[in-house]
């Protein structure tokens, strides 16, 4: 019998890598040089702009506007406390799931971001000097609790429920004046508003699932209603729905236009829009579940509802988690469209900041700086989510046969 | 726990006496669109009997047993299972499904649940057993099918033969009066077919009423009380295995057997 | 139940309806429909009462009223007095205009990037990955603003100093203009040939297919009709240039000192504008006075900049430049340094006496600003330009003035050659002649064929001639193209990776080269996987064009929202918008279904 022998040594090292990846053949060598010139030119221009030409003062001076827009500075502790609680809850999930879990993959970068902001706050922003590090600390506290007592994750749904209520009360306030003075909804803005609108994906979940199930229903009335809703909503762009919602919602609900703040109109539009896309994603998942699964459940005596909720939906949703994360990224970017209904979200603050009198003094304006900053922030969060989605995809692919 | 090799333990303490009819099918007809899949089927199954249904593919065997627990709806005729007629009545459908177990060609285990959860799901949700009782029974049947150690694994981690045995245990835990087998070994590798058939043989010996659609002629000959041969949506011939395999009456039966034996 | 008794007749009792599966379904639908109708009824009722209360229109009658909306960008004729319906139609056409061009460009760039992402070259691969990741993770709204206000608006050369690119392209912060072929009044000559070409192409196609089928041969069919068409149509086009002459009723009137002209057909004293007529204009001697300006452009100050309309050096025999107030200029020591001869110059004072313009010499130490507000006179000798009139028969030239004695005197005084000016034309002796006060020009109408190439030029402060794309359109187009191409790149990459490995192996095994394997085996199969998601990206691009307001481009949604604000007709406008987008979506899904059906057929 022939004994196994070690494989011959593979060529490696830097020079081998270069030859394999950059200079294998004349065509590739030329390509490398062309690409190198393009890269060098782009990097040079970018660096020159960022470090030499750019005038970043306008961005730096208006950080509070970017963060919360007109939210009263004396109440800044309230959104930051809400953020801290959120980080704490995420921390518990991340801690319980372990460092390598998906939640941790989302939580740790956010903590990193908050940590950077905290350092900046300690150095430069006296009014929130302790608040940002406080939020950071709450996050780590949650992480500690989660990793120390993983069973605490059982109470988390309650925690999130409480957070929704408390968070809303913190933001809107309770009393006229005082520590918990009311802040009108129209003063919410900046990145805070972007995040609030982003939560529209949460209610879109159950609606989307209901629509998807309805679309698969055998009952024609329900089926065609769901098809109609999904296709009409998906057929037109979000910006149009936002516009229509802002015009028509007060009419449709027969309420005074002033009693329905623009945020709520936008929220309704975003939720329903997102639900239609969610429905299509979920439907994809439902189609991926083999017919035999439902048949086996029915043969065991489970009712139609039990079959759907216990057998079909869990499998369908698991199959489409990456698609749903993709949709979340899309929604996160799409929140920037609320400018059409007069809301001032993170993106719109850029417009305001770049036409302030100080901005107009700068030669050539500061639009490039302002929107570069905005782009970087959006990119950070969206890219982070897309990395998480890719990890999920890999994990789910490996997990099931 | 009881040993499968020793005297077989009764699967249900209240198992009724054998001999009386548990499934009664009269004048059954079914169409898929314009295609007449089941034509005037008359068949009855007695308690404790093992009926093996054989026939070429597309002959309607699977459709027949899928009609018995209403995975397929029949258009004409009458199906009565354990005294309950299968109609559009939700209550009748639910009751019949509770009392019949079914084993599929493709196992159809729920991949997102562990083996134990797969088995206890229906007893806790449909029979409203306590979790502890359901788990106890689940472990009993897992032992019976010979894989007690796999309770906490996921279906994806098991071999095909193991999966099918879990599927059998899952059905048995509901304590059905009838077991329907829809080509249970067709999707299995040749070397594991034996282990599944052995479980079925033991089940038959313990007195379970079984309707088995299969291509395993050995099983039909050894275990079957009656063999039903179907072709083109009709029952062509019914008889005991000896009669069937040695001296079939019908020409179609003879030609079918000559091809596969 | 008692043992021994046959139980066939067990339950034949009538099933109560609430337990009957079929009836339950019907009832559920019935309840659902009733709830739906009731809900919708309440909402509609709300809307109707609210509309009545606010006295807002709820029907489409407003569509026939004059809109009064100025729209700069339009594919069909439009005036402010036209109806709302026409304004909306223009919006719809503008949506199509940006969507169709966008789809083509996004596909090209997207496919390129997708292939690059799979390149074996690390640098290329990484570059493409960065492109994709950056662009698809930044909101489109941000990208549109970025292209519009950060890249295109501050585009360094303003319209007074545009960049002339090779191929007759002109780029400035007003937009892009380029030469374009337009049909002339003689287009009709060509039409019979075009019809004949189409018919013959059809015949060629049919004949080739029949021949192939008869001979039972495999061969490509398409070259035959295509070549036939090109040959016949080309012949017709060529013939339209033979024996051409200017029709006697075609006139060209030109007011040289206003820089305006009109080409028209005059029949029985009535004149009708003649579109796309080439004319030549020659002006023996003329001058043009421009004030220097201190400008801020993008990130730099442009000090004491003199900007004459864009001209090419060969458009005149000589260009001469002089300060209008030569004495004062002499006193201050002002000189001209050309950035772009003969159009753009900077005023400076040669303080270090080296005869050249050096950094800092364009700043007046007294005011610490540039030399703005200084009049400079350009005198051209034998200026000539060939122009093509536009759709309305209009032609524009720089508004030259007669080279009168003021200019002549100024030229004479500054005639002595100066060291240090870059261009010799500056120092040429001028021969000023005082003639009649009105500027006169020699004009001629050129004969044409079926098509005429119209060049873009900048007579005063905007583009004329050629095809013009506004900066708004460009910003939206660029943003949409770049954004969508990132998604298309991912789809293409996924499609190529989804082609089974065995295909590559089989191709290599039958001896195809790497490039052949890719272009003949992998790519065609990948395209099949890629097409359906790609079409949905096209739809996304079209829908995303509704963000046009960020770039100031007037597409459907922008015009609709303006109309809605003006008329208060929220409901009809909402219905119109939803309807239009549904039509677009349906059109795309129709294409998608066709593609899917075709692919399914090919698969068989």
């Amino acid at each position: 019998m022939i004994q196994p022998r070690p494989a011959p040594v593979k060529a490696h090292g830097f020079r081998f890598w270069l030859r394999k990846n950059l200079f294998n053949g004349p065509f590739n060598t030329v390509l490398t040089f062309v690409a190198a010139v393009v890269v060098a030119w782009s990097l040079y221009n970018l660096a020159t702009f960022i470090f030499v030409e750019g005038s970043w003062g306008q961005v730096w001076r208006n950080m509070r506007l970017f963060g919360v827009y007109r939210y009263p500075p004396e109440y800044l502790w309230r959104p930051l406390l809400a953020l801290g609680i959120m980080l704490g809850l995420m921390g518990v999930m991340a801690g319980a799931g372990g460092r390598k879990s998906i939640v941790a993959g989302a939580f740790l970068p956010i903590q990193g971001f908050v940590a950077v902001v905290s350092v900046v706050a300690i150095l430069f922003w006296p009014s929130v000097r302790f608040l940002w590090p406080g939020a950071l600390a709450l996050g780590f506290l949650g992480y500690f609790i989660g990793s120390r007592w993983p069973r605490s994750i059982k109470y988390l749904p309650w925690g999130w429920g409480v957070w929704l209520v408390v968070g809303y009360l913190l933001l809107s306030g309770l009393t006229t004046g005082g520590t918990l003075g009311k802040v009108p909804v129209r003063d919410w803005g900046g990145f805070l508003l972007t995040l609030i609108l982003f939560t529209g994906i949460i209610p879109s979940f159950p609606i989307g699932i209901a629509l998807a199930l309805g679309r698969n229903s055998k009952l024609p009335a329900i089926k065609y209603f769901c098809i109609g809703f999904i296709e009409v909503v998906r057929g037109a762009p979000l910006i149009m729905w936002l516009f229509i919602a802002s015009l028509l919602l007060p009419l449709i609900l027969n309420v005074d236009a002033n009693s329905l703040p623009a945020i709520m109109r936008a929220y309704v539009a975003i939720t329903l829009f997102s639900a239609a896309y969610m429905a299509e994603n979920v439907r994809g998942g439902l189609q991926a579940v083999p017919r035999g699964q439902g048949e086996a459940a029915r043969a065991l005596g489970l009712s139609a509802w039990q079959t759907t909720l216990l057998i079909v939906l869990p499998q369908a949703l698991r199959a489409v988690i990456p698609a749903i994360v993709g949709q979340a990224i899309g929604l996160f970017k799409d929140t920037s469209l609320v400018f059409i209904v007069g809301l001032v979200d993170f993106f719109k603050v850029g417009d305001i900041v770049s036409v302030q009198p100080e901005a107009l003094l700068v030669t050539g304006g500061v639009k490039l700086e302002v929107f570069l900053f905005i782009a970087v922030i959006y990119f950070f969060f969206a890219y982070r989510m897309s990395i998480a989605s890719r990890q999920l995809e890999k994990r789910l692919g490996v997990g099931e046969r | 726990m009881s040993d499968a090799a020793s005297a077989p333990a009764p699967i249900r303490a209240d198992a009724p006496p054998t001999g009386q009819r548990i499934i009664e099918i009269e004048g059954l007809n079914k169409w898929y669109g314009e295609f007449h899949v089941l034509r005037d089927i008359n068949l009855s199954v007695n308690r404790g009997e093992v009926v093996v249904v054989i026939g070429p593919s597309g002959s309607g065997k699977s459709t027949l047993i899928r009609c018995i627990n209403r995975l397929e709806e029949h258009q004409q005729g009458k199906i009565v299972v354990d005294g309950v007629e299968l109609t559009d009545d939700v209550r009748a459908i639910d009751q019949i499904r509770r009392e019949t177990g079914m084993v599929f060609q493709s196992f159809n285990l729920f991949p997102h649940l562990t083996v134990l959860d797969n088995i206890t799901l229906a007893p806790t949700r449909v029979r409203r057993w306590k979790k502890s009782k359901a788990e106890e029974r689940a472990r009993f049947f897992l032992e019976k099918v010979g894989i007690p150690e796999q309770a906490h694994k996921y279906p994806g981690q098991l071999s095909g033969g193991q999966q099918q045995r879990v599927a059998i245990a899952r059905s048995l835990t509901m304590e059905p009066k009838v077991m329907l087998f829809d080509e249970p070994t067709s999707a299995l590798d040749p070397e594991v077919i034996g282990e599944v058939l052995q479980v079925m043989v033991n089940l038959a010996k313990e007195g379970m009423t079984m309707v088995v659609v299969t291509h395993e002629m050995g099983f039909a000959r050894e275990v079957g009380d009656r063999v039903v041969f179907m072709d083109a949506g009709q029952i062509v011939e019914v008889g005991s295995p000896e009669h069937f395999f040695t001296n079939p009456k019908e020409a179609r039966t003879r030609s079918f057997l000559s091809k596969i034996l | 139940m008692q043992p021994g008794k046959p139980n066939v007749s067990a339950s034949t009792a009538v099933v109560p309806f609430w337990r009957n599966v079929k009836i339950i379904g019907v009832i559920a639908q019935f309840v659902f429909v009733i709830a739906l109708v009731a809900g919708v009824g309440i909402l509609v009722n709300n809307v109707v009462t609210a509309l009545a209360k606010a006295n807002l229109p709820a029907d489409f009658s407003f569509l026939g009223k004059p809109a009064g909306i100025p729209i700069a960008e339009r594919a069909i004729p439009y005036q402010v007095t036209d109806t709302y319906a026409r304004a909306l139609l223009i919006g719809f056409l503008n949506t199509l205009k940006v969507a169709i061009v966008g789809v083509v460009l996004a596909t090209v760039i997207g496919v390129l990037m997708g292939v690059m992402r799979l390149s074996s070259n690390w640098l290329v691969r990484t570059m493409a990955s960065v492109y994709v990741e950056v662009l698809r993770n930044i909101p489109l709204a941000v990208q549109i603003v970025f292209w519009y206000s950060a890249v295109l608006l501050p585009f360094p050369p303003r319209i007074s100093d545009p960049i002339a690119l090779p191929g007759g392209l002109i780029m400035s912060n007003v937009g892009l203009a380029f030469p374009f072929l337009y049909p002339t009044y003689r287009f009709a000559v060509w039409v019979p040939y075009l019809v004949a070409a189409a018919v013959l192409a059809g015949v060629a196609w049919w004949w080739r297919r029949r021949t192939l089928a008869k001979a039972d041969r495999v061969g490509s069919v398409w070259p035959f009709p295509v070549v036939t068409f090109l040959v016949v149509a080309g012949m017709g086009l060529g013939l339209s240039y033979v024996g051409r002459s200017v029709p006697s009723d075609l006139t060209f009137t030109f007011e040289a000192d206003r820089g305006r002209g009109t080409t028209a057909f005059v029949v029985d004293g009535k004149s009708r504008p003649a579109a796309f007529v080439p004319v030549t204009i020659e002006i023996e001697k003329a001058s043009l006075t421009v004030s220097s300006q201190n400008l801020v452009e993008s990130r730099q100050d442009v000090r004491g900049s003199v900007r004459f309309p864009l001209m090419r050096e060969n458009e005149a025999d000589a260009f001469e430049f002089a300060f209008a107030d030569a004495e004062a200029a002499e006193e201050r020591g002002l000189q001209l340094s050309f950035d772009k001869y003969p159009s753009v110059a900077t005023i400076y004072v040669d303080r270090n006496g080296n005869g050249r313009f050096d950094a800092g010499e364009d700043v007046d130490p007294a005011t610490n600003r540039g030399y703005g507000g200084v009049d400079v006179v350009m005198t051209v000798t034998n200026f000539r330009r060939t122009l093509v009139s536009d759709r309305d028969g209009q032609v524009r030239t720089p508004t030259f003035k007669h080279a009168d004695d003021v200019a002549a005197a100024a030229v004479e005084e500054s005639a002595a050659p100066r060291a240090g000016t870059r261009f010799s034309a500056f120092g040429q002796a001028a021969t000023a002649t005082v003639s009649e006060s009105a500027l006169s020009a020699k004009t001629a109408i050129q004969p044409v064929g079926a098509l005429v190439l119209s060049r873009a030029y900048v007579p005063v402060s905007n583009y004329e001639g050629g095809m013009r794309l506004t900066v708004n359109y460009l910003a939206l187009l660029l943003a949409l193209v770049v954004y969508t191409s990132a998604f298309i790149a991912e789809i293409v990459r996924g499609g190529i990776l989804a082609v089974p490995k065995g295909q590559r192996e089989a191709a290599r095994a039958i001896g195809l080269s790497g490039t052949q394997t890719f272009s003949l085996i992998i790519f065609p199969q990948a395209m099949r996987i890629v097409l359906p998601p790609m079409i949905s990206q096209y739809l996304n691009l079209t829908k995303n064009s509704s963000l046009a307001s960020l770039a100031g481009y007037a597409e459907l949604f922008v015009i609709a929202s303006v109309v809605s604000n003006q008329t208060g007709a929220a409901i009809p406008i909402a219905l119109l918008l939803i309807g239009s987008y549904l039509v677009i979506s349906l059109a795309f899904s129709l294409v998608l279904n066709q593609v899917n059906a075709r692919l399914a057929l090919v698969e068989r």
Side-chain angles (χ1 to χ4, degrees), chain C residues 266-349:
Chain C
V266 182
V267 183
D268 302 336
K270 276 186 198 159
S271 101
R272 184 167 54 82
F276 308 121
V277 177
V279 293
T280 47
I281 295 167
E282 284 178 47
I283 300 174
E284 199 180 316
K285 194 113 199 154
S287 69
L288 196 57
T289 308
V290 160
S291 254
S292 68
Q293 278 179 298
N294 290 317
L295 299 171
V296 172
E297 280 192 353
S298 185
R299 306 258 148 205
Q300 335 144 312
D301 282 347
V302 182
R303 300 198 185 91
S305 174
V306 187
R307 293 166 176 212
F308 292 99
L310 186 67
M311 273 178 243
R312 286 192 306 278
E313 255 188 286
N314 60 6
E315 282 184 318
D317 285 351
F319 295 94
E320 293 148 62
F321 298 89
F323 292 102
D325 188 349
E327 236 164 81
E330 185 85 44
E331 211 166 280
R332 296 168 75 185
L334 300 183
Q335 303 199 30
L336 284 178
S337 162
F338 277 89
D339 306 327
K340 250 186 253 166
Y341 189 81
S343 297
V344 182
T346 305
I347 301 184
Y348 73 104
V349 174

Side-chain angles (χ1 to χ4, degrees), chain B residues 24 73 83 85 88-91, chain C residues 8 10-11 19-22:
Chain B
E24 189 75 15
E73 189 189 331
E85 186 184 351
D88 287 341
D89 186 352
V90 180
R91 197 180 285 178
Chain C
V8 169
S11 69
R19 268 168 39 195
N20 186 313
V21 268
K22 285 181 183 143

